[in-house]
Amino acid sequence: MVVTRADRIGGAQVHVLHLAQGLRRRGIPVRVITGPPGPFTDALHRAGIPSHPVPHLVRPVRPLDDLRALLAIRSLLRHHRPALVAAHSTKATWLARLAAATLGIPCIVTVHGWPWDATAGQGGILRRLSVRLALEGERILGRLAAAVITVSRHDREEGLRRHLFDPRRAVVIPNGVPRPGARPGLRPGRRRGREARFPLRAGSSGSGDPSCGQLPACAEGLLCGELSAGAQGPPCGEPPAGAEGPCGRPLRVVMVARFEAPKDHTTLLRAVALLEGRSRAERGARRVPAAGHGPCCPSAPSRGAEPWASSLAATSWVVELVGDGPGLGPAMDLARQLGIGHRVRFLGVRGDGAAAVVGAAVAVLCSHREGLPLAVLEAMAAGVPVVATAVGGVPEAVRHGVTGLLVPPNDPAAVAGALARLLADPVLRRRMGVAGSRRHRARFTVHRMVRATLAVYRSVVANDLRQSMLRQRQENPSIVPGAIMGTWARQIRRGGSTSAGPLEETSMQRDQAGDGRSGRPIGG
């Protein structure tokens, strides 16, 4: 496997780690080539997965460094002679395809979202020129991919629309994430009750109380529902109490994302400012008796007020932002400028972002573009309702009104309304959390992802071996078939398959057809 960055752990890195662990548990040896060493190579080491850092493999386009990285990758592939190369992230897919092609090794590309999606026609001249060059380069190198895996139907359709690959060689395999506390790569239901061994896990949910943070979202919803149902009304002139989370703590709104494009923390912070302003106005209105109301009764909401305003004013809530990056400082400055410093907690980078969302009331993800974000899937796995921008493959995971709420990008008012609706309604939170958990188990587990990906890998290796055998027979008709078959068998033991022919539609593809996509086999 080849992935560009090891200095950070993002969605592509977590995907590679889960996939490598799942393949190794199935007896398939895996090595990972990365850029300069960092937290990701440390995680690979803890997981027992061999890694090979390439110092010149960096994200920016640097012709001399890129050439050195290409030669280094080629040298590693020539030394280890893998049956297959699987490339992830843009720079890695370009260089890995070129290196593998020179050695006659099949290369599979996994697309984790197109870097130009939703911004291809925006920006200045240099931005448009770079996007144009990237598109042309992707079209040329697309011929070198034995198969293309996209993590969402959106990415596959975008690639086909721009003619970036052969539709017969493209397949959709959604990302998978483990359940909270589950060991990734195993079948659902196995090893129940055992502690997770995922090497990135830190073991804390961000609530400040481990026992409280480990409560599932459905338990939080039940507690809040009981408190709300038992409330008899506040004392005169005071807001009602009780709309809090487990252990009497505030309800937590959590966003796990790096402070870097395409993540959009600015929109979330502006949405929080809108919520804070509205809840303050409502609390002030409650302290002033309105005409026609008794002295011990809160005033009625003003005309035109949002239906959730009175409930939100009675709710204790806080926003937790997990992650770091170049945009962290500006985000903290914006929070102070908006006067919401008391509402927002900047928790910094965490060993396991999935643990941070456990026990939260709402998980939120504001982005300009996405593939199929793991943060959304991790929230669903934890039984937490999601508020997310409807970009990329997000609508394929979050069913609007069922497992969460979708909002347009760059729309603080829409985000504020969605958050307020969920914070004010514990029953809705619980219903959406349960639905999200069920949807995760049905479609987005690590086991399903590994099984479907391995089926593609085996088909590609089998096709490559079959074509190699045919070429050898054509070049030398007198060659002994047994010698070819011996080579084939050795390759199969290294991770191939005894089946030949075009890539078959996997069971996951057939399942995805229920969401409106017609699965198609990948031509050999």
Side-chain angles (χ1 to χ4, degrees):
M1 296 185 182
V2 187
V3 63
T4 304
R5 303 186 67 175
D7 62 333
R8 51 158 290 189
I9 298 178
Q13 287 76 16
V14 174
H15 174 97
V16 168
L17 181 58
H18 285 166
L19 190 56
Q21 289 178 306
L23 293 175
R24 283 172 60 87
R25 291 193 183 101
R26 289 160 173 81
I28 299 174
V30 177
R31 292 179 179 271
V32 180
I33 299 174
T34 72
F40 182 54
T41 50
D42 295 340
L44 291 171
H45 177 72
R46 290 194 297 270
I49 299 170
S51 63
H52 304 275
V54 175
H56 298 291
L57 179 56
V58 293
R59 186 180 184 186
V61 176
R62 298 174 183 169
L64 185 58
D65 283 340
D66 294 343
L67 178 58
R68 291 172 176 170
L70 173 63
L71 296 177
I73 293 172
R74 187 181 187 278
S75 177
L76 287 168
L77 296 181
R78 183 175 57 186
H79 175 73
H80 293 287
R81 297 301 301 182
L84 179 72
V85 175
H88 306 257
S89 70
T90 303
K91 178 67 77 67
T93 61
W94 284 38
L95 299 182
R97 273 179 281 188
L98 289 170
T102 64
L103 298 172
I105 303 173
C107 180
I108 292 178
V109 171
T110 298
V111 178
H112 297 272
W114 301 109
W116 54 77
D117 188 18
T119 62
Q122 302 174 10
I125 296 177
L126 292 179
R127 167 64 182 170
R128 292 196 296 270
L129 179 60
S130 64
V131 168
R132 183 66 179 175
L133 292 176
L135 286 170
E136 292 302 325
E138 193 67 39
R139 290 191 183 102
I140 295 172
L141 293 176
R143 304 169 186 173
L144 301 180
V148 175
I149 297 173
T150 64
V151 299
S152 67
R153 296 193 305 274
H154 172 273
D155 288 342
R156 183 179 187 273
E157 293 166 359
E158 175 69 12
L160 293 178
R161 184 176 70 86
R162 296 184 180 275
H163 308 289
L164 302 182
F165 45 72
D166 186 340
R168 297 172 299 172
R169 295 177 180 267
V171 61
V172 178
I173 301 179
N175 286 327
V177 298
R179 303 184 318 276
R183 185 178 179 181
L186 297 180
R187 291 178 180 270
R190 291 190 179 184
R191 299 185 184 270
R192 292 183 183 273
R194 294 196 178 188
E195 183 178 355
R197 298 179 184 176
F198 181 35
L200 300 182
R201 186 170 180 82
S204 175
S205 71
S207 66
D209 184 349
S211 62
C212 177
Q214 295 301 323
L215 286 173
C218 57
E220 174 267 321
L222 283 172
L223 287 170
C224 291
E226 293 169 358
L227 289 169
S228 299
Q232 300 298 322
C236 180
E238 297 181 5
E244 298 176 340
C247 308
R249 298 181 180 275
L251 298 179
R252 297 166 51 234
V253 177
V254 180
M255 178 168 168
V256 182
R258 182 170 171 81
F259 286 80
E260 186 178 17
K263 309 306 181 186
D264 184 14
H265 291 82
T266 299
T267 293
L268 175 59
L269 292 175
R270 295 192 182 281
V272 173
L274 290 176
L275 287 177
E276 178 65 8
R278 293 171 183 175
S279 60
R280 283 179 180 175
E282 181 60 25
R283 284 196 298 269
R286 283 177 176 273
R287 294 188 178 95
V288 180
H293 291 269
C296 293
C297 299
S299 62
S302 61
R303 179 174 298 180
E306 293 82 350
W308 44 261
S310 58
S311 298
L312 182 63
T315 303
S316 176
W317 55 278
V318 66
V319 176
E320 297 179 350
L321 303 180
V322 180
D324 63 358
L328 177 58
M332 298 176 71
D333 292 339
L334 179 60
R336 284 191 291 266
Q337 294 171 11
L338 296 174
I340 55 174
H342 64 292
R343 285 289 190 190
V344 182
R345 298 173 181 170
F346 294 88
L347 302 184
V349 67
R350 300 288 299 276
D352 181 13
V357 78
V358 174
V362 184
V364 61
L365 183 65
C366 296
S367 302
H368 298 297
R369 56 177 172 83
E370 288 289 352
L372 187 63
L374 299 187
V376 167
L377 304 184
E378 289 166 348
M380 292 168 58
V384 177
V386 177
V387 172
T389 46
V391 295
V394 173
E396 299 170 32
V398 180
R399 298 182 62 187
H400 182 68
V402 179
T403 65
L405 298 174
L406 297 174
V407 296
N410 305 309
D411 192 339
V415 176
L419 290 176
R421 180 182 172 189
L422 286 170
L423 289 173
D425 192 339
V427 176
L428 180 63
R429 289 200 304 272
R430 181 179 185 274
R431 184 171 69 245
M432 287 186 172
V434 171
S437 179
R438 290 173 178 168
R439 185 165 177 79
H440 164 261
R441 291 195 302 269
R443 298 187 181 277
F444 303 111
T445 63
V446 172
H447 170 72
R448 292 170 65 85
M449 178 189 72
V450 173
R451 181 184 63 189
T453 304
L454 181 56
V456 175
Y457 287 1
R458 284 176 166 160
S459 296
V460 166
V461 171
N463 289 340
D464 180 71
L465 292 172
R466 181 181 63 172
Q467 295 299 324
S468 177
M469 183 176 67
L470 293 176
R471 285 194 300 270
Q472 293 182 53
R473 290 297 301 273
Q474 291 172 355
E475 295 172 357
N476 187 1
S478 63
I479 191 171
V480 179
I484 301 177
M485 295 304 295
T487 303
W488 194 346
R490 286 192 294 273
Q491 290 286 348
I492 293 300
R493 286 195 295 270
R494 295 168 68 184
S497 169
T498 56
S499 62
L503 297 183
E504 300 283 338
E505 183 182 36
T506 65
S507 60
M508 177 168 286
Q509 288 177 271
R510 291 191 292 271
D511 292 341
Q512 290 295 323
D515 277 354
R517 184 185 67 83
S518 58
R520 298 183 62 182
I522 302 177

